[in-house]
Amino acid sequence: MATATLARQIGRAITNSTSAGNGWFNPHMAAASRAIAERIPLVDLVLEVRDSRIPFSSEFDLLRNYTPLSKRIILFNKMDLANRSQLKDWMKYFKQNNRVSYGVNAHNNESIQQLLNFLQAQVRKLKKADHCNTTTILLVGIPNVGKSALANSLHRIGRISAAEKGKLKCATVSSHPGETKNISSLKIASHPNIYVLDTPGILPPHISDDDVCTKLALTGTIQDSFAGEKELAQYFLAILNRSDEYKKWAKFSNSENEGSLANKYIESSTSSEIGMKWKNQYPTDHTQDFIVHEVRKTLFEMISSFDGDVEDERLIKEEIKAMGGAFHVPLESEEDAENKVAAKLLNLFRTGRLGHYILDCIPRKLQSCAISV
């Protein structure tokens, strides 16, 4: 089944599941949209946070009508999860279109320090003709792109004196979209004083583009319940099968240990020193390194040995079935097992354990995206 076909099916499923008024755009999100719109003209800079894996699909729709480009900076967060070469192409594309962009990893101190230096330089340019000693920066974006994590990291790295450490609050951070409820202010620098306003994640009431809708769901912006975990896992596998990412895992297949890493766990569990080491591993915890290695090994062998179109629905179904063994999912009903496999696969993709991707294609002349590899 082609990637584009899967995207259309998932996008339509999301549209259908939200058309009855049970979508993401609730009264809270509507109120937050109005509050953000009111603040945009009042702040000095607007930082639009996007997911580096979907530089186009994660655009903050509300800014189209409100923000002049001169006071808008696009931050590509989660750059550690994206293909670095393709991200550079995207930043080149934005520069060619007179847009300021910057890549960052909210969980890396060095990356945050570099971002803070960049922002301070931008503020100095902004304040050349202005003697005001305080700058406000509005942090906006769709849900789950890491706005609150960015705000907290900037706040932590940028604190100047020890006296401030226990007094300034932090924003709430969650892996679930839509957790930030209010606009909060965090100080990130002094001389001049710079404050970041962290805002709730906002999506438009309706997303008509099935492809965009599906990418938002795959990266965790739209809740899995709207699309279905199994369908999203199949979509990810279709992308993986067409990419070069799985080829990097050949070393797991050609390792000295011909047997399964899981079998090594079982065989060594009775020996002393090695046994103690492996007993501290949990076959049901898919985030353990030896489980991730087994998953990579299994996927590499299945894709590289398949004789046919790697987007074939048969291959994807076989991969889902084989993942049950790699993840050590207990033998139970086929549907329950597939759902558990799907949830584990999505988690490994979203945390970068199964490769680094950019799912959007650059418009016009520069064409670079994971799906077309």
Side-chain angles (χ1 to χ4, degrees), residues 314-339:
R314 293 174 300 167
L315 173 59
I316 294 173
K317 287 184 176 180
E318 288 301 314
E319 286 174 311
I320 293 285
K321 186 182 297 183
M323 287 301 96
F327 282 127
H328 301 277
V329 173
L331 293 176
E332 47 191 28
S333 73
E334 183 176 348
E335 183 176 357
D336 287 342
E338 289 181 350
N339 288 335

mmCIF file of all heavy atoms in Angstrom, residues 314-339:
data_model
loop_
_atom_site.group_PDB
_atom_site.id
_atom_site.type_symbol
_atom_site.label_atom_id
_atom_site.label_comp_id
_atom_site.label_asym_id
_atom_site.label_seq_id
_atom_site.Cartn_x
_atom_site.Cartn_y
_atom_site.Cartn_z
ATOM 1 N N ARG A 314 1.706 -6.425 2.076
ATOM 2 C CA ARG A 314 2.096 -7.717 2.639
ATOM 3 C C ARG A 314 3.331 -7.578 3.520
ATOM 4 O O ARG A 314 3.416 -8.173 4.603
ATOM 5 C CB ARG A 314 2.368 -8.730 1.523
ATOM 6 C CG ARG A 314 1.148 -9.145 0.703
ATOM 7 C CD ARG A 314 1.582 -10.016 -0.446
ATOM 8 N NE ARG A 314 2.505 -9.314 -1.319
ATOM 9 C CZ ARG A 314 3.235 -9.910 -2.272
ATOM 10 N NH1 ARG A 314 3.167 -11.221 -2.436
ATOM 11 N NH2 ARG A 314 4.041 -9.200 -3.051
ATOM 12 N N LEU A 315 4.310 -6.800 3.060
ATOM 13 C CA LEU A 315 5.525 -6.607 3.841
ATOM 14 C C LEU A 315 5.205 -5.891 5.151
ATOM 15 O O LEU A 315 5.706 -6.285 6.216
ATOM 16 C CB LEU A 315 6.547 -5.796 3.041
ATOM 17 C CG LEU A 315 7.812 -5.375 3.803
ATOM 18 C CD1 LEU A 315 8.561 -6.597 4.339
ATOM 19 C CD2 LEU A 315 8.728 -4.532 2.913
ATOM 20 N N ILE A 316 4.388 -4.872 5.081
ATOM 21 C CA ILE A 316 4.055 -4.113 6.287
ATOM 22 C C ILE A 316 3.347 -5.001 7.302
ATOM 23 O O ILE A 316 3.638 -4.954 8.506
ATOM 24 C CB ILE A 316 3.199 -2.887 5.922
ATOM 25 C CG1 ILE A 316 4.023 -1.909 5.072
ATOM 26 C CG2 ILE A 316 2.675 -2.192 7.172
ATOM 27 C CD1 ILE A 316 3.242 -0.748 4.519
ATOM 28 N N LYS A 317 2.437 -5.838 6.844
ATOM 29 C CA LYS A 317 1.736 -6.752 7.753
ATOM 30 C C LYS A 317 2.696 -7.751 8.374
ATOM 31 O O LYS A 317 2.584 -8.080 9.566
ATOM 32 C CB LYS A 317 0.612 -7.477 6.995
ATOM 33 C CG LYS A 317 -0.594 -6.605 6.678
ATOM 34 C CD LYS A 317 -1.697 -7.412 6.015
ATOM 35 C CE LYS A 317 -2.930 -6.539 5.785
ATOM 36 N NZ LYS A 317 -4.027 -7.305 5.125
ATOM 37 N N GLU A 318 3.638 -8.249 7.572
ATOM 38 C CA GLU A 318 4.623 -9.196 8.100
ATOM 39 C C GLU A 318 5.547 -8.521 9.115
ATOM 40 O O GLU A 318 5.949 -9.127 10.111
ATOM 41 C CB GLU A 318 5.438 -9.803 6.958
ATOM 42 C CG GLU A 318 4.671 -10.798 6.095
ATOM 43 C CD GLU A 318 4.136 -11.969 6.902
ATOM 44 O OE1 GLU A 318 4.904 -12.517 7.719
ATOM 45 O OE2 GLU A 318 2.958 -12.318 6.726
ATOM 46 N N GLU A 319 5.871 -7.265 8.878
ATOM 47 C CA GLU A 319 6.712 -6.523 9.816
ATOM 48 C C GLU A 319 5.996 -6.361 11.159
ATOM 49 O O GLU A 319 6.607 -6.539 12.225
ATOM 50 C CB GLU A 319 7.056 -5.148 9.244
ATOM 51 C CG GLU A 319 8.085 -5.189 8.125
ATOM 52 C CD GLU A 319 8.299 -3.832 7.490
ATOM 53 O OE1 GLU A 319 7.305 -3.157 7.138
ATOM 54 O OE2 GLU A 319 9.460 -3.417 7.354
ATOM 55 N N ILE A 320 4.725 -6.011 11.110
ATOM 56 C CA ILE A 320 3.941 -5.860 12.346
ATOM 57 C C ILE A 320 3.932 -7.180 13.118
ATOM 58 O O ILE A 320 4.133 -7.218 14.340
ATOM 59 C CB ILE A 320 2.501 -5.423 12.036
ATOM 60 C CG1 ILE A 320 2.471 -4.000 11.464
ATOM 61 C CG2 ILE A 320 1.624 -5.522 13.281
ATOM 62 C CD1 ILE A 320 2.687 -2.905 12.462
ATOM 63 N N LYS A 321 3.738 -8.275 12.394
ATOM 64 C CA LYS A 321 3.687 -9.597 13.032
ATOM 65 C C LYS A 321 5.044 -9.957 13.639
ATOM 66 O O LYS A 321 5.129 -10.439 14.769
ATOM 67 C CB LYS A 321 3.279 -10.656 12.001
ATOM 68 C CG LYS A 321 3.053 -12.036 12.592
ATOM 69 C CD LYS A 321 2.701 -13.045 11.494
ATOM 70 C CE LYS A 321 1.396 -12.670 10.806
ATOM 71 N NZ LYS A 321 1.011 -13.679 9.782
ATOM 72 N N ALA A 322 6.122 -9.690 12.898
ATOM 73 C CA ALA A 322 7.466 -10.017 13.391
ATOM 74 C C ALA A 322 7.843 -9.167 14.592
ATOM 75 O O ALA A 322 8.586 -9.624 15.478
ATOM 76 C CB ALA A 322 8.486 -9.822 12.273
ATOM 77 N N MET A 323 7.336 -7.945 14.647
ATOM 78 C CA MET A 323 7.641 -7.063 15.771
ATOM 79 C C MET A 323 7.077 -7.607 17.086
ATOM 80 O O MET A 323 7.575 -7.294 18.161
ATOM 81 C CB MET A 323 7.092 -5.660 15.521
ATOM 82 C CG MET A 323 7.846 -4.836 14.485
ATOM 83 S SD MET A 323 9.589 -4.582 14.890
ATOM 84 C CE MET A 323 10.339 -5.909 13.942
ATOM 85 N N GLY A 324 6.047 -8.434 16.987
ATOM 86 C CA GLY A 324 5.505 -9.058 18.193
ATOM 87 C C GLY A 324 6.563 -9.882 18.899
ATOM 88 O O GLY A 324 6.681 -9.873 20.126
ATOM 89 N N GLY A 325 7.380 -10.599 18.100
ATOM 90 C CA GLY A 325 8.458 -11.387 18.680
ATOM 91 C C GLY A 325 9.598 -10.518 19.167
ATOM 92 O O GLY A 325 10.154 -10.745 20.243
ATOM 93 N N ALA A 326 9.959 -9.493 18.379
ATOM 94 C CA ALA A 326 11.069 -8.618 18.768
ATOM 95 C C ALA A 326 10.757 -7.846 20.041
ATOM 96 O O ALA A 326 11.640 -7.617 20.872
ATOM 97 C CB ALA A 326 11.377 -7.648 17.621
ATOM 98 N N PHE A 327 9.489 -7.462 20.215
ATOM 99 C CA PHE A 327 9.081 -6.715 21.398
ATOM 100 C C PHE A 327 8.675 -7.624 22.563
ATOM 101 O O PHE A 327 8.344 -7.146 23.646
ATOM 102 C CB PHE A 327 7.899 -5.799 21.073
ATOM 103 C CG PHE A 327 8.271 -4.541 20.337
ATOM 104 C CD1 PHE A 327 7.629 -4.206 19.153
ATOM 105 C CD2 PHE A 327 9.245 -3.693 20.829
ATOM 106 C CE1 PHE A 327 7.948 -3.033 18.483
ATOM 107 C CE2 PHE A 327 9.579 -2.521 20.157
ATOM 108 C CZ PHE A 327 8.929 -2.191 18.976
ATOM 109 N N HIS A 328 8.642 -8.935 22.322
ATOM 110 C CA HIS A 328 8.240 -9.904 23.335
ATOM 111 C C HIS A 328 6.808 -9.645 23.823
ATOM 112 O O HIS A 328 6.518 -9.698 25.026
ATOM 113 C CB HIS A 328 9.205 -9.896 24.535
ATOM 114 C CG HIS A 328 10.615 -10.202 24.150
ATOM 115 N ND1 HIS A 328 11.097 -11.475 23.994
ATOM 116 C CD2 HIS A 328 11.648 -9.379 23.852
ATOM 117 C CE1 HIS A 328 12.369 -11.432 23.628
ATOM 118 N NE2 HIS A 328 12.715 -10.168 23.533
ATOM 119 N N VAL A 329 5.935 -9.358 22.855
ATOM 120 C CA VAL A 329 4.526 -9.174 23.184
ATOM 121 C C VAL A 329 3.919 -10.536 23.484
ATOM 122 O O VAL A 329 4.062 -11.466 22.687
ATOM 123 C CB VAL A 329 3.777 -8.498 22.015
ATOM 124 C CG1 VAL A 329 2.278 -8.456 22.284
ATOM 125 C CG2 VAL A 329 4.316 -7.092 21.785
ATOM 126 N N PRO A 330 3.253 -10.716 24.614
ATOM 127 C CA PRO A 330 2.681 -12.020 24.976
ATOM 128 C C PRO A 330 1.699 -12.524 23.926
ATOM 129 O O PRO A 330 1.008 -11.734 23.277
ATOM 130 C CB PRO A 330 1.955 -11.721 26.298
ATOM 131 C CG PRO A 330 2.582 -10.480 26.819
ATOM 132 C CD PRO A 330 2.995 -9.682 25.635
ATOM 133 N N LEU A 331 1.662 -13.845 23.765
ATOM 134 C CA LEU A 331 0.721 -14.444 22.820
ATOM 135 C C LEU A 331 -0.698 -14.255 23.343
ATOM 136 O O LEU A 331 -1.051 -14.711 24.418
ATOM 137 C CB LEU A 331 1.033 -15.936 22.651
ATOM 138 C CG LEU A 331 2.365 -16.255 21.954
ATOM 139 C CD1 LEU A 331 2.595 -17.762 21.949
ATOM 140 C CD2 LEU A 331 2.366 -15.705 20.537
ATOM 141 N N GLU A 332 -1.492 -13.546 22.591
ATOM 142 C CA GLU A 332 -2.877 -13.277 22.967
ATOM 143 C C GLU A 332 -3.650 -13.066 21.684
ATOM 144 O O GLU A 332 -3.263 -13.563 20.627
ATOM 145 C CB GLU A 332 -2.951 -12.052 23.873
ATOM 146 C CG GLU A 332 -2.145 -10.879 23.350
ATOM 147 C CD GLU A 332 -1.994 -9.770 24.361
ATOM 148 O OE1 GLU A 332 -2.016 -10.051 25.569
ATOM 149 O OE2 GLU A 332 -1.853 -8.629 23.928
ATOM 150 N N SER A 333 -4.738 -12.355 21.712
ATOM 151 C CA SER A 333 -5.488 -12.129 20.482
ATOM 152 C C SER A 333 -4.643 -11.318 19.514
ATOM 153 O O SER A 333 -3.855 -10.458 19.918
ATOM 154 C CB SER A 333 -6.784 -11.384 20.783
ATOM 155 O OG SER A 333 -6.549 -10.037 21.098
ATOM 156 N N GLU A 334 -4.807 -11.595 18.225
ATOM 157 C CA GLU A 334 -3.994 -10.931 17.201
ATOM 158 C C GLU A 334 -4.183 -9.419 17.236
ATOM 159 O O GLU A 334 -3.216 -8.659 17.121
ATOM 160 C CB GLU A 334 -4.373 -11.468 15.824
ATOM 161 C CG GLU A 334 -3.532 -10.882 14.701
ATOM 162 C CD GLU A 334 -3.868 -11.495 13.351
ATOM 163 O OE1 GLU A 334 -4.585 -12.516 13.329
ATOM 164 O OE2 GLU A 334 -3.420 -10.944 12.334
ATOM 165 N N GLU A 335 -5.406 -8.966 17.438
ATOM 166 C CA GLU A 335 -5.687 -7.529 17.446
ATOM 167 C C GLU A 335 -4.984 -6.835 18.617
ATOM 168 O O GLU A 335 -4.368 -5.780 18.449
ATOM 169 C CB GLU A 335 -7.193 -7.278 17.513
ATOM 170 C CG GLU A 335 -7.553 -5.801 17.455
ATOM 171 C CD GLU A 335 -9.052 -5.578 17.437
ATOM 172 O OE1 GLU A 335 -9.811 -6.563 17.405
ATOM 173 O OE2 GLU A 335 -9.463 -4.397 17.460
ATOM 174 N N ASP A 336 -5.068 -7.436 19.811
ATOM 175 C CA ASP A 336 -4.416 -6.845 20.981
ATOM 176 C C ASP A 336 -2.901 -6.793 20.793
ATOM 177 O O ASP A 336 -2.251 -5.805 21.162
ATOM 178 C CB ASP A 336 -4.755 -7.639 22.238
ATOM 179 C CG ASP A 336 -6.189 -7.424 22.694
ATOM 180 O OD1 ASP A 336 -6.797 -6.435 22.250
ATOM 181 O OD2 ASP A 336 -6.687 -8.252 23.487
ATOM 182 N N ALA A 337 -2.337 -7.864 20.237
ATOM 183 C CA ALA A 337 -0.889 -7.915 20.016
ATOM 184 C C ALA A 337 -0.463 -6.838 19.027
ATOM 185 O O ALA A 337 0.542 -6.143 19.239
ATOM 186 C CB ALA A 337 -0.488 -9.288 19.504
ATOM 187 N N GLU A 338 -1.213 -6.672 17.951
ATOM 188 C CA GLU A 338 -0.880 -5.663 16.946
ATOM 189 C C GLU A 338 -0.981 -4.255 17.523
ATOM 190 O O GLU A 338 -0.161 -3.384 17.197
ATOM 191 C CB GLU A 338 -1.793 -5.813 15.727
ATOM 192 C CG GLU A 338 -1.499 -7.044 14.889
ATOM 193 C CD GLU A 338 -2.400 -7.157 13.679
ATOM 194 O OE1 GLU A 338 -3.377 -6.366 13.600
ATOM 195 O OE2 GLU A 338 -2.140 -8.004 12.812
ATOM 196 N N ASN A 339 -1.961 -4.014 18.366
ATOM 197 C CA ASN A 339 -2.105 -2.696 18.993
ATOM 198 C C ASN A 339 -0.922 -2.384 19.909
ATOM 199 O O ASN A 339 -0.426 -1.248 19.952
ATOM 200 C CB ASN A 339 -3.419 -2.619 19.782
ATOM 201 C CG ASN A 339 -4.632 -2.559 18.881
ATOM 202 O OD1 ASN A 339 -4.545 -2.132 17.727
ATOM 203 N ND2 ASN A 339 -5.782 -2.995 19.384
#
